[in-house]
């Protein structure tokens, strides 16, 4: 028995509030066992799996209302692999990387590859965001739509840089939870284990005609590009609803179900309204609380999908997270390297806003009874 037992009527129905891997809806698991039974354990070069990949690509294109000429491509290795693939096959000479936390920083590190010019890194204090600025010679402008380590969201708006410069957005934790205009990005890439409620291991990207042209041109330039990290290879295979090597079929099945669920409920606008409802409950509570404050000071920068809340020094946030965990409410710990007296709570689209309200009641109960 935990020291503090949260009464049942205060507990959320589902206690998963982690920022990735994150809550997978029970209906997705049922679909995995049902439809998946015919597909799992079968060849990824045959029609059933290719049709599944095709369905995921079409569903994502619908979700993001992709403009004419945009395509959905995919490959193995998650968003981390995409950073290296971009260093090999997307950045021509130099990137500008906005860094407002861990994930933006990781792409900046990948963009510092020896065959490229040193990236123009614009770093903001954690909890704030940097802005892109047109710089001559920069051919990729990159930032995360949602910085998962701090809970800072940045708008997806094209940079008016040199002709042909690409706007490349990391949508890993935002995709499927924050609405945006796809025409404002050339590449919007993500892995599906966050808002899209699937498992890790794959990356997806919606790519504009300009990005496709860039991928083709860099691939033809004679630069050494490992096969596994070749975006040209991913482009060619994706058009055939394939990947270079074996993909995780369960990840594709879970994702396909999630994308149909979002599209069937009203698409990205519906998802956006739902994550805003959940996150507003937490931000409003923290604003009014005597012991908590939203970590992100500027309300315009506050993420609707990853809520970070700081606590006064007389409250031990780590102890709250530990008690919540003992009561079945998991993964509310802050990003480990941020080192703050904080809770970080995902309000992804799969998470019921009613469960977020119950989470707040549970947190209050733990504070009052500690
Ligand atoms: C989780 C996350 C990543 C890393 O994704 P992997 O699939 O684990 O490589 C990258 N960017 C952002 C914004 C993330 O939240």
């Amino acid at each position: 028995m935990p020291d503090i037992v949260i009464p049942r009527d205060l507990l959320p129905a589902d206690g998963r509030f982690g920022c990735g891997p994150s809550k997978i809806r029970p209906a997705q698991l049922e679909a995995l066992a049902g439809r998946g039974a015919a597909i799992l354990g079968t060849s990824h070069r045959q029609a059933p799996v290719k049709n599944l990949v095709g369905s995921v690509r079409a569903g994502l294109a619908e979700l993001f209302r992709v403009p004419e000429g945009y395509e959905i491509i995919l490959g193995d290795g998650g968003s981390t692999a995409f950073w290296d693939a971009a260093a090999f096959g997307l950045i021509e000479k130099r990137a500008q990387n906005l860094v407002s936390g861990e994930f933006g920083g990781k792409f900046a590190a990948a963009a510092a590859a020896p065959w490229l010019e040193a990236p123009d890194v614009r770093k903001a204090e954690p909890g704030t965001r940097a802005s892109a600025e047109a710089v001559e010679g920069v051919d990729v402008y990159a930032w995360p739509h949602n910085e998962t380590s701090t809970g800072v969201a940045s708008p997806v708006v094209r940079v008016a840089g040199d002709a042909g410069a690409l706007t490349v957005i990391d949508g890993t934790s935002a995709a499927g939870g924050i609405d945006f205009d796809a025409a404002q990005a050339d590449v919007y890439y993500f892995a599906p284990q966050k808002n899209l409620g699937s498992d890790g291991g794959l990356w997806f990207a919606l790519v504009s005609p300009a990005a496709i042209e860039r991928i083709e041109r860099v691939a033809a330039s004679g630069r050494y590009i490992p096969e596994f990290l070749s975006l040209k290879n991913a482009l060619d295979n994706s058009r055939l609803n394939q990947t270079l090597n074996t993909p995780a079929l369960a990840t594709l099945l879970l994702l396909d179900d999630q994308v149909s669920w979002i599209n069937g409920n009203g698409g990205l606008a519906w998802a956006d309204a739902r994550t805003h409802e959940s996150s507003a409950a937490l931000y409003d509570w923290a604003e009014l609380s005597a012991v908590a404050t939203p970590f992100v000071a500027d309300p315009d920068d506050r993420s609707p999908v990853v809520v970070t809340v700081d606590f006064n020094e007389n409250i031990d946030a780590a102890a709250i997270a530990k008690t919540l965990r003992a009561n079945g409410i998991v993964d509310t710990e802050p990003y480990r390297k941020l080192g703050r007296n904080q809770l970080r709570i995902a309000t992804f689209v799969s998470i019921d806003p009613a469960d977020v309200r119950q989470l707040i009641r549970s947190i209050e109960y733990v504070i009052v009874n500690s």
Side-chain angles (χ1 to χ4, degrees):
M1 282 284 272
D3 289 345
I4 299 173
V5 179
I6 302 171
R8 280 190 77 109
D9 63 336
L10 301 183
L11 289 172
D14 194 302
R16 285 172 292 180
F17 292 96
C19 291
S22 49
K23 179 181 169 187
I24 295 176
R25 292 172 303 104
Q28 289 173 273
L29 296 172
E30 277 163 34
L32 184 63
R35 179 185 172 206
I39 291 176
L40 291 169
T42 70
S43 169
H44 59 296
R45 302 293 177 213
Q46 297 299 325
V49 173
K50 286 199 204 179
N51 292 342
L52 170 63
V53 173
S55 169
V56 167
R57 291 179 66 227
L60 288 171
E62 181 187 339
L63 177 68
F64 297 120
R65 302 167 304 238
V66 296
E68 186 67 31
Y70 277 58
E71 295 183 38
I72 305 283
I73 65 172
L74 71 157
D76 281 313
S79 293
T80 301
F82 188 85
W83 292 324
D84 287 329
F88 276 109
L90 198 62
I91 303 168
E92 203 156 7
K93 287 205 184 77
R94 188 180 193 212
Q96 181 178 98
N97 291 82
L98 307 189
V99 178
S100 54
E102 191 65 17
F103 293 107
K106 287 184 175 178
F107 190 15
W115 57 91
L116 301 172
E117 285 173 30
D120 175 15
V121 179
R122 310 264 167 141
K123 205 168 170 184
E125 283 303 307
T128 67
R129 66 180 181 84
S131 293
E133 199 187 344
V135 168
E136 209 185 306
V138 164
D139 55 75
V140 159
Y141 292 89
W143 64 91
H145 193 181
N146 183 70
E147 176 49 68
T148 320
S149 64
T150 59
V152 169
S154 299
V156 177
V157 183
R158 234 173 230 298
V159 183
D162 294 350
L166 304 177
T167 299
V168 177
I169 304 295
D170 179 351
T172 306
S173 56
I178 310 182
D179 206 352
F180 72 104
D181 176 6
Q184 291 292 324
D186 291 295
V187 179
Y188 188 87
Y189 65 92
F190 52 92
Q193 70 273 22
K194 306 204 175 172
N195 248 297
L196 289 167
S198 183
D199 224 337
L202 289 166
W203 60 259
F204 295 82
L206 56 102
V207 290
S208 72
I212 293 169
E213 190 271 335
R214 175 77 66 87
I215 289 168
E216 305 267 13
R217 189 149 42 82
V218 175
S221 69
R223 178 189 287 175
Y224 166 73
I225 301 176
E227 199 63 2
F228 181 68
L229 294 169
S230 163
L231 292 175
K232 166 76 174 134
N233 189 297
L235 178 68
D236 293 345
N237 270 300
S238 300
R239 285 173 170 165
L240 302 171
N241 293 326
Q242 298 198 108
T243 44
L244 170 70
N245 60 319
T246 319
L249 302 187
T251 301
L252 288 165
L253 282 158
L254 293 168
L255 175 59
D256 197 40
D257 191 75
Q258 179 79 342
V259 172
S260 324
W261 179 68
I262 299 173
N263 285 339
N265 275 302
L268 210 47
W270 170 80
D272 186 89
R274 186 168 154 102
T275 60
H276 273 88
E277 178 185 345
S278 290
S279 56
L282 280 158
Y283 289 126
D284 291 350
W285 166 76
E287 291 271 21
L288 290 173
S289 165
V291 298
T293 14
F295 169 50
V296 180
D298 186 341
D300 287 344
D301 295 348
R302 285 178 194 159
S303 166
V305 290
V306 172
V307 176
T308 45
V309 176
D310 274 354
F311 285 84
N312 290 357
E313 64 220 354
N314 52 334
I315 301 277
D316 181 356
I320 298 177
K322 199 173 163 204
T323 302
L324 292 174
R325 184 173 286 282
N327 282 272
I329 299 172
V330 301
D331 300 339
T332 61
E333 291 84 3
Y335 191 76
R336 65 204 141 82
K337 286 190 207 153
L338 205 55
R340 295 189 72 88
N341 188 32
Q342 177 176 98
L343 293 181
R344 181 179 63 153
I345 295 151
T347 50
F348 291 152
V349 63
S350 293
I351 294 166
D352 191 332
D355 274 353
V356 174
R357 289 189 281 270
Q358 288 295 85
L359 169 66
I360 294 169
R361 293 188 186 105
S362 293
I363 295 171
E364 287 197 318
Y365 184 88
V366 173
I367 291 173
V368 169
N369 291 281
S370 291

